[in-house]
Amino acid sequence: MRGIGSWPSSCRGKPLGYNVDDTKLKRAGLDYWPYVVVKVHDSWDEFREYFMKQDGDKRLLAFTKRGTNIHSDFSYKPGDWLVFGSETKGLADNVLEDCSGEAIGGGTIRIPMVETYVRCLNLSVSVGVALYEAARQLNYEQLQYQPDLPEEARGLFPAEDIYG
């Protein structure tokens, strides 16, 4: 599974709205930041072209408050790409169309929340909820992945529960 975000083109730090080299962002990543691969696309069309070139079975899944499937009732598959929008504006219509279309889309998904003027889950929590539901359904396959790390990084990630 891969998670991606959507963005308006007018955001500062084009197109994300923040700089990925920001000290606070790197601090949030702590010791695993060197192993994160960040690809920034200038537009949805550029991302879509990139997505189409990727190998294997894949589909785009849009997470939106108007989604037609509840996140825990939806059947996730290996190769799914989870798409999230901004907290205030959501996803653009063309993004929702791509995620709903038969060519590359897998559907629109929602996480049930309180329908009031107050957000009940922020974006980062929503991403966590969605990723762990998908991972659970796929028997946590992604969490079993053991990357081929450089020698100096191998001791940073214990392979077993050292407190068990």
Side-chain angles (χ1 to χ4, degrees), residues 3-111:
I4 64 168
S6 177
W7 47 85
S9 60
S10 62
C11 286
R12 79 176 170 79
K14 178 184 164 188
L16 299 173
Y18 54 87
N19 295 316
V20 292
D21 61 349
D22 184 283
T23 305
K24 290 178 185 173
L25 181 63
K26 287 183 179 178
R27 184 169 184 221
L30 298 172
D31 55 353
Y32 57 80
W33 183 253
Y35 310 102
V36 174
V37 177
V38 177
K39 293 184 186 303
V40 178
H41 303 276
D42 286 330
S43 68
W44 177 257
D45 290 337
E46 184 181 302
F47 164 75
R48 189 179 189 279
E49 184 178 319
Y50 170 82
F51 174 80
M52 296 298 288
K53 292 178 183 175
Q54 302 308 299
D55 293 333
D57 291 332
K58 58 192 176 294
R59 60 187 178 165
L60 295 172
L61 306 175
F63 281 77
T64 170
K65 67 180 180 180
R66 294 177 191 79
T68 57
N69 301 285
I70 294 177
H71 78 290
S72 55
D73 294 339
F74 187 81
S75 294
Y76 300 91
K77 298 177 184 177
D80 283 345
W81 293 53
L82 312 184
V83 183
F84 299 86
S86 85
E87 289 182 16
T88 56
K89 296 184 181 182
L91 292 166
D93 289 341
N94 62 328
V95 175
L96 292 170
E97 287 173 22
D98 281 345
C99 293
S100 299
E102 288 184 28
I104 59 175
T108 57
I109 302 170
R110 67 184 167 89
I111 299 170

